[in-house]
Amino acid sequence: MIQTERALQQVLEWGRSLTGFADEHAVEAVRGGQYVLQRIHPSLRDTSARTGRDPQDETLIVAFYRELALLFWLDDCNDLGLIAPEQLAAVEQALGRGVPCALPGFEGCAVLRASLAALAYDRRDYAQLLDDTRYYCAALRAGHAQAAGAERWSYAEYLHNGIDSIAYANVFCCLSLLWGLDMATLRARPAFRQVLRLISAIGRLQNDLHGRDKDRSAGEADNATILLLQRYPAMPVVEFLNDELAGHTRMLHRVMAEERFPAPWGPLIEAMAAIRAQYYQTSTSRYRSDAAGCPSWT
């Protein structure tokens, strides 16, 4: 696999064409991307005979890391106001439609979308990635707006929105696009769609539980623990959310045991379910519980 420093420099070089892009976005993208790719590398090696896509192909790996960095950057554009609202609206329009941004300072958006379009093993994945990006951006906007507004969502509304704002669909679709994982065909299976929703709900709960102290100290209200405490101050929120997390995890394991999804989906879902313990805890900045003021992904 490409050396970490070489990959990081390529992501940073691309990111410099995005207003507000920070080193952290590239660092955490490479770290997170490496975690995922290392966990599924044996399965990708097995599928390469069918697809011809080398799991160690530098071009594919860097494209994946850049997409992850884009997601981190978009999250912070919403949470931290890295760019003006009209700039963010233009960026979202460009990324969701695969066209150049109408405003200067965001050339990296078109570069990344053009590269993914050219690299797509299945064009259906590229079309879906555009859709998933629109859902992600809309969910980020909605979460930010409700957290700042007077009317609070219910827990059900929050979790429904959080499934899109955790961005796992984007991550999976990008992997499928680059390494031919046939996600477009699998999406037709109800069990696969159920798995996507369950693992995304698990990711949202893990993210919020892990980041609750940082979000609270930073004044961030778009977090399930904070939302529930605002509505029900006497509620044992952490215990409740841990029970929710355990229940979603049991349901996920049942579906995965009943269904047979092709490689590398089993190891990939397992990797994402374990991300709180195996990735968040070792984050150098973004996910560390003692990193004051650092927002979580996403």
Side-chain angles (χ1 to χ4, degrees):
M1 191 173 292
I2 181 176
Q3 291 186 345
T4 301
E5 188 59 33
R6 179 177 170 84
L8 179 60
Q9 289 306 313
Q10 292 188 57
V11 177
L12 285 169
E13 181 181 354
W14 162 79
R16 292 190 184 99
S17 64
L18 296 176
T19 301
F21 190 88
D23 288 359
E24 179 196 310
H25 301 135
V27 170
E28 290 296 341
V30 172
R31 289 188 65 257
Q34 284 180 332
Y35 165 78
V36 172
L37 292 178
Q38 287 168 358
R39 291 290 298 269
I40 66 173
H41 184 268
S43 296
L44 287 181
R45 192 173 58 237
D46 292 342
T47 62
S48 65
R50 172 182 62 84
T51 63
R53 295 292 174 101
D54 184 353
Q56 300 193 74
D57 187 311
E58 180 174 318
T59 299
L60 302 180
I61 292 170
V62 171
F64 178 52
Y65 292 167
R66 286 174 174 171
E67 182 68 17
L68 296 185
L70 178 77
L71 298 175
F72 284 124
W73 173 73
L74 283 171
D75 182 38
D76 284 352
C77 285
N78 277 271
D79 288 349
L80 305 180
L82 299 180
I83 60 179
E86 62 272 16
Q87 293 176 313
L88 182 56
V91 165
E92 292 175 349
Q93 175 79 2
L95 290 171
R97 299 189 180 279
V99 297
C101 183
L103 300 176
F106 304 99
E107 291 77 12
C109 297
V111 169
L112 182 57
R113 284 293 171 263
S115 69
L116 291 176
L119 291 169
Y121 183 85
D122 185 331
R123 288 289 299 183
R124 294 177 299 171
D125 281 333
Y126 180 70
Q128 185 63 54
L129 184 68
L130 298 182
D131 288 345
D132 289 340
T133 301
R134 291 197 297 272
Y135 302 148
Y136 174 61
C137 290
L140 289 178
R141 283 198 313 274
H144 185 69
Q146 80 80 26
E151 183 177 354
R152 295 289 181 259
W153 278 343
S154 68
Y155 169 71
E157 290 170 314
Y158 173 83
L159 189 58
H160 177 78
N161 190 70
I163 285 174
D164 285 335
S165 69
I166 196 64
Y168 281 12
N170 298 68
V171 175
F172 297 148
C173 191
C174 188
L175 286 168
S176 183
L177 179 155
L178 293 169
W179 280 282
L181 307 187
D182 205 23
M183 189 174 179
T185 300
L186 288 172
R187 281 180 187 265
R189 294 171 59 175
F192 186 79
R193 296 196 299 272
Q194 184 181 10
V195 163
L196 290 182
R197 289 193 65 79
L198 286 170
I199 191 59
S200 295
I202 289 167
R204 170 50 56 203
L205 294 173
Q206 288 181 331
N207 185 285
D208 287 4
L209 283 164
H210 185 79
R212 66 186 184 277
D213 293 335
K214 288 187 297 180
D215 287 345
R216 184 166 50 235
S217 64
E220 172 61 60
D222 192 17
N223 181 304
T225 60
I226 297 171
L227 179 145
L228 286 170
L229 281 173
Q230 288 174 338
R231 294 178 67 97
Y232 312 105
M235 182 179 182
V237 167
V238 173
E239 291 84 350
F240 170 77
L241 291 178
N242 275 319
D243 282 346
E244 288 281 286
L245 179 57
H248 280 87
T249 302
R250 287 192 298 271
M251 289 190 288
L252 175 68
H253 288 163
R254 283 196 290 269
V255 178
M256 295 297 291
E258 292 167 0
E259 297 289 329
R260 288 289 181 265
F261 298 118
W265 289 102
L268 176 56
I269 296 301
E270 291 173 3
M272 300 306 286
I275 202 167
R276 182 184 182 188
Q278 299 192 31
Y279 171 53
Y280 285 3
Q281 297 289 1
T282 61
S283 171
T284 55
S285 58
R286 196 173 187 89
Y287 294 106
R288 277 177 52 181
S289 60
D290 61 345
C294 291
S296 59
W297 174 40
T298 50

